[in-house]
């Protein structure tokens, strides 16, 4: 399997697929921001399928190479692929399985071998004795073969790797950047028209794939429902797919509708599904409500602030880390009473964003660690390209 000729060195990124998700979207923006004569990205997908973002990656100049991990010939195929294409940089995003990947990358001749952690959670499988033994081997391999160990926030390295990661010179925190130019448009009146929400009514957004239970849509509905008791106007809009498939989506939607009926807000809660116009949605919103129970580095908080939209967020470690770098993020514990969240929503919506405050928020992010141009320079240093 030989890749087309490229003008720059190839960096192989290892992912399950390139479906829409946090890591996948951020690396797509990196691919778009790389110069024509710079490194070229190849996304090796371990599920054996490409993913919904494959066409976008190709348009950005990247390649998609499915090599199924469950194949009995995976190791041979992967090593042969690296050697045939003389790939010297392997950047793996598959948690502790990166240990196995980077061991093979060494056999394949890669000189730069990066393990990138993006989640604060441990795999559920690690709870069983056989799985703990397997992950112990993966940790040993990762420690042996990784040249660099990256986390998108301090907590991802603490939880996923080890508490004393700061003592390891290979470890560092590297936040992925955002294409801030996408958030400079203000032509968003059509969004409210489409959703049937008057311009005078507050619009609260919740963004996240509901097939990931930690996104906690139920909590968002409860908090908004409490807010709605004293506030007859305003709508809550969910953005993101409702489930991994049609069956799960139907089950989830039924549960949410039942909850909205109990709270008397069914007519005020909208399900917009998976969207590609998130910048316009955020520019139309008055508040982003983030209720996740677990998140490595919630990029949607940065996107909201780039659009000048205030944020109320659960105080998960990734959000706490971002709040140190980005203004306009209010943190609340999920253990607080529902009324505390409702009051915070009400207070935030009393001072709705204006074009001037939106532009100021965007300006403050430019040139920061979260600006895509700054992030790309960091990645190129990491890849030695």
């Amino acid at each position: 399997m030989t890749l087309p000729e490229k003008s720059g060195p190839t960096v192989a990124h290892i992912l399950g697929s390139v479906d829409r998700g946090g890591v996948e979207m951020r690396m797509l923006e990196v691919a778009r921001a790389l110069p024509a004569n710079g490194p070229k990205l190849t996304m090796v997908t371990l599920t054996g399928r490409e993913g919904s973002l494959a066409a976008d990656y190709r348009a950005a100049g990247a390649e998609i190479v499915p090599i199924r991990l469950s194949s009995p010939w995976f190791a041979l195929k992967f090593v042969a692929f690296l050697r045939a294409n003389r790939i010297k940089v392997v950047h793996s995003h598959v948690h502790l399985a990166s240990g196995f990947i980077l061991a093979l990358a060494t056999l394949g001749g890669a000189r730069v071998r990066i393990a990138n952690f993006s989640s604060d959670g441990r795999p559920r499988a690690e709870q069983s004795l056989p799985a703990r033994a397997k992950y112990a081997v993966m940790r040993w391999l990762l420690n042996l073969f990784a040249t660099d160990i990256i986390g998108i926030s301090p907590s991802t390295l603490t939880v996923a790797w080890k508490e004393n990661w700061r003592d390891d010179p290979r470890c560092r925190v590297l936040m992925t950047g955002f294409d801030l130019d996408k958030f400079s448009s203000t032509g968003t009146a059509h969004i409210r028209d489409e959703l049937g929400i008057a311009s005078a009514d507050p619009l609260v957004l919740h963004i996240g794939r509901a097939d990931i239970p930690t996104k906690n849509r139920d909590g968002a509905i409860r908090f908004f429902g409490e807010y709605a008791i004293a506030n007859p106007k305003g709508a809550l809009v969910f953005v993101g797919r409702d489930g991994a498939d049609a069956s799960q989506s139907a089950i989830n939607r039924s549960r949410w509708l039942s909850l909205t009926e109990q709270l008397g807000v069914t007519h005020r809660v909208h399900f917009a599904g998976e969207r590609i116009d998130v910048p316009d949605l955020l520019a139309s919103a008055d508040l982003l409500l983030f209720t996740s129970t677990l998140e490595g580095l919630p990029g949607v908080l940065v996107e909201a602030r780039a659009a000048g939209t205030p944020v109320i967020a659960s105080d998960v470690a990734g959000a706490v880390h971002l709040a140190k770098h980005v203004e306009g993020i209010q943190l609340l514990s999920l253990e607080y009473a529902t009324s505390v969240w409702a009051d915070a929503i009400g207070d935030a919506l009393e001072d709705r964003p204006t074009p001037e405050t939106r532009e100021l928020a965007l300006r403050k992010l430019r040139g920061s660690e979260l600006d895509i141009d700054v992030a790309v320079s960091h990645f190129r240093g990491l890849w030695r390209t």
Side-chain angles (χ1 to χ4, degrees):
M1 185 187 307
T2 304
L3 298 174
E5 290 295 323
K6 297 176 180 295
S7 58
T10 297
V11 178
H13 285 263
I14 317 302
L15 295 157
S17 69
V18 289
D19 281 322
R20 189 175 295 273
V23 174
E24 295 79 5
M25 291 299 298
R26 298 290 75 76
M27 295 318 302
L28 175 58
E29 294 196 342
V30 169
R32 287 169 171 161
L34 287 169
N37 63 347
K40 303 301 178 183
L41 306 190
T42 294
M43 320 309 288
V44 178
T45 60
L46 302 184
T47 58
R49 51 182 291 273
E50 294 188 345
S52 60
L53 294 173
D56 298 283
Y57 269 98
R58 289 195 177 94
E63 299 286 337
I64 313 295
V65 178
I67 307 179
R68 188 162 52 87
L69 180 61
S70 59
S71 165
W73 308 108
F74 171 79
L76 290 175
K77 289 181 178 179
F78 184 61
V79 170
F81 163 76
L82 295 179
R83 288 193 172 277
N85 294 282
R86 299 180 180 179
I87 293 175
K88 302 304 179 186
V89 184
V90 173
H91 191 149
S92 181
H93 302 265
V94 290
H95 206 70
L96 290 175
S98 294
F100 176 55
I101 296 297
L102 298 185
L104 294 178
T106 304
L107 294 175
R111 297 194 187 99
V112 180
R113 302 176 297 274
I114 305 159
N116 202 143
F117 292 107
S118 58
S119 172
D120 283 351
R122 294 185 182 273
R124 266 187 205 175
E126 244 188 300
Q127 297 171 7
S128 70
L129 184 59
R132 284 203 300 272
K134 180 183 79 171
Y135 280 108
V137 172
M138 294 295 177
R139 286 178 183 276
W140 177 74
L141 290 172
L142 197 155
N143 191 51
L144 193 61
F145 292 106
T147 60
D148 301 86
I149 301 171
I150 304 302
I152 58 174
S153 68
S155 60
T156 57
L157 286 169
T158 299
V159 174
W161 183 230
K162 55 186 177 182
E163 290 188 3
N164 63 338
W165 61 267
R166 290 178 176 83
D167 298 332
D168 187 336
R170 297 173 300 172
C171 295
R172 62 180 285 199
V173 173
L174 179 56
M175 296 188 292
T176 48
F178 296 77
D179 179 4
L180 299 177
D181 289 340
K182 295 191 304 185
F183 298 91
S184 59
S185 172
T186 56
T188 58
H190 67 284
I191 295 292
R192 284 178 174 265
D193 292 341
E194 176 189 338
L195 297 172
I197 301 170
S199 60
D201 291 349
L203 194 166
V204 180
L205 273 187
H206 184 285
I207 299 176
R209 292 164 43 190
D211 55 318
I212 303 175
T214 55
K215 298 301 182 183
N216 189 22
R217 282 191 180 182
D218 298 61
I221 293 172
R222 290 191 179 93
F223 299 149
F224 181 79
E226 181 80 10
Y227 158 82
I229 292 173
N231 298 273
K233 291 191 174 183
L236 171 63
V237 178
F238 287 107
V239 177
R241 65 189 188 194
D242 295 340
D245 52 37
S247 175
Q248 186 191 61
S249 295
I251 293 170
N252 287 343
R253 184 72 71 90
S254 177
R255 184 179 77 252
W256 298 323
L257 289 175
S258 176
L259 184 56
T260 61
E261 288 172 2
Q262 292 174 30
L263 298 171
V265 291
T266 301
H267 62 295
R268 297 173 62 178
V269 176
H270 306 261
F271 298 90
E274 195 168 23
R275 306 277 296 228
I276 62 172
D277 57 346
V278 169
D280 283 349
L281 284 159
L282 285 167
S284 301
D286 300 297
L287 178 68
L288 177 77
L289 186 60
F290 175 86
T291 55
S292 290
T293 60
L294 183 72
E295 197 86 31
L297 191 78
V300 68
L301 306 191
V302 181
E303 292 178 324
R305 293 307 298 141
T309 303
V311 175
I312 296 177
S314 53
D315 60 351
V316 294
V320 172
H321 179 63
L322 273 181
K324 295 175 182 177
H325 297 267
V326 182
E327 296 180 6
I329 300 175
Q330 180 182 356
L331 299 171
L332 294 176
S333 170
L334 289 171
E335 296 182 1
Y336 288 171
T338 303
S339 59
V340 174
W341 281 77
D343 289 344
I345 293 171
D347 291 343
L349 293 176
E350 284 183 3
D351 188 18
R352 297 167 66 182
T354 66
E356 292 74 23
T357 61
R358 291 188 187 276
E359 176 57 31
L360 178 61
L362 177 60
R363 216 163 43 234
K364 287 182 177 180
L365 285 172
R366 293 195 184 277
S368 74
E369 294 292 304
L370 294 161
D371 188 320
I372 189 63
D373 292 331
V374 175
V376 164
S377 69
H378 289 323
F379 276 116
R380 294 195 67 178
L382 177 67
W383 300 332
R384 286 73 149 171
T385 60

